[in-house]
Amino acid sequence: MDPSEVDSSQDVRDGWDSWSYSERVEALNQLANEILDQYGYEDDVDVDTGAAAGRLGYYDDGSIIMVPSQIEDPNPEEAIDTVNHETVHAMNDQDGIEDYRYPEDFDFEEGDLEVFIEHGKIDDVARELDRDGFPPPAGGGGGGGGGGSASSARAGESGSGPDEPKSADLEFEIDWAQGVWIDSVDESGNMSVDIMFAAPEGW
């Protein structure tokens, strides 16, 4: 397959072994922009390799930078996941969603928690992209109009589904001091995350 014809993560897997270093970068660049195009995001990104300050990759102002070792790796999975993760950052950037800034010591100030939660959603969406099972943005459009958030998750595809067995004897204890994350997905596929540090009334 020609790298310029890539339109899915599976296409990257299928062609990886036969491509040169530069062709692999081209294929990942095509993958990122195909995803953006599919959801109506107007601005493309440029995928390249370089130093990433101890990270596997990063997004900055229309550019995705990945460490060269990912391109050289005979297994494409890490490269696919990294480019998909950074593409979600690009979507959020175009949607005006801040998803980077949160305190390293977890000493949250006003506004930090929302940004931290947005950052936490990115891995979930990237995993959907990795397997070409990603959802359409909420509201049916992207491209910075506020209607298309890359933070939505596909209903019924993450976590336990209706066909999965559930134990009637499940018992557990909750350490509320550590915080409890509750993920929920509505009928339109929008995902919300709540963090609680005390049991709600009636629990």
Side-chain angles (χ1 to χ4, degrees):
M1 169 179 284
D2 190 297
S4 66
E5 297 176 353
V6 164
D7 64 9
S8 68
S9 295
Q10 188 58 49
D11 283 348
V12 175
R13 295 182 183 98
D14 292 343
W16 194 256
D17 287 343
S18 64
W19 291 329
S20 66
Y21 183 100
S22 60
E23 287 174 326
R24 289 176 177 181
V25 174
E26 181 184 354
L28 293 168
N29 187 85
Q30 176 65 21
L31 174 62
N33 288 307
E34 181 66 24
I35 291 169
L36 291 169
D37 289 345
Q38 286 176 6
Y39 289 121
Y41 290 89
E42 296 179 359
D43 298 331
D44 285 349
V45 295
D46 293 315
V47 176
D48 206 344
T49 57
R55 295 172 287 177
L56 295 175
Y58 66 91
Y59 167 80
D60 182 45
D61 195 24
S63 294
I64 294 174
I65 303 300
M66 304 173 63
V67 294
S69 61
Q70 293 182 95
I71 309 302
E72 297 163 350
D73 193 333
N75 184 338
E77 294 305 321
E78 187 175 82
I80 290 170
D81 184 66
T82 297
V83 79
N84 285 335
H85 179 104
E86 302 308 328
T87 300
V88 180
H89 278 301
M91 291 181 184
N92 282 350
D93 184 30
Q94 293 189 45
D95 282 336
I97 297 171
E98 189 175 358
D99 59 18
Y100 268 102
R101 191 195 75 247
Y102 57 90
E104 292 183 3
D105 59 3
F106 287 79
D107 183 16
F108 291 100
E109 298 179 359
E110 185 176 356
D112 287 335
L113 183 57
E114 182 177 346
V115 174
F116 175 69
I117 291 172
E118 289 296 342
H119 188 96
K121 295 176 184 178
I122 290 176
D123 281 333
D124 291 335
V125 180
R127 282 190 289 270
E128 296 286 348
L129 293 170
D130 292 349
R131 61 192 187 92
D132 299 319
F134 50 96
S149 170
S151 300
S152 59
R154 184 176 222 183
E157 298 236 356
S158 296
S160 62
D163 298 328
E164 295 182 22
K166 297 177 175 64
S167 171
D169 300 322
L170 178 64
E171 294 182 5
F172 58 90
E173 293 183 5
I174 296 175
D175 183 353
W176 293 102
Q178 297 298 315
V180 175
W181 291 60
I182 299 179
D183 298 344
S184 59
V185 182
D186 65 22
E187 292 180 357
S188 64
N190 295 317
M191 179 179 184
S192 63
V193 179
D194 297 305
I195 303 177
M196 298 188 296
F197 291 93
E201 184 177 351
W203 276 38

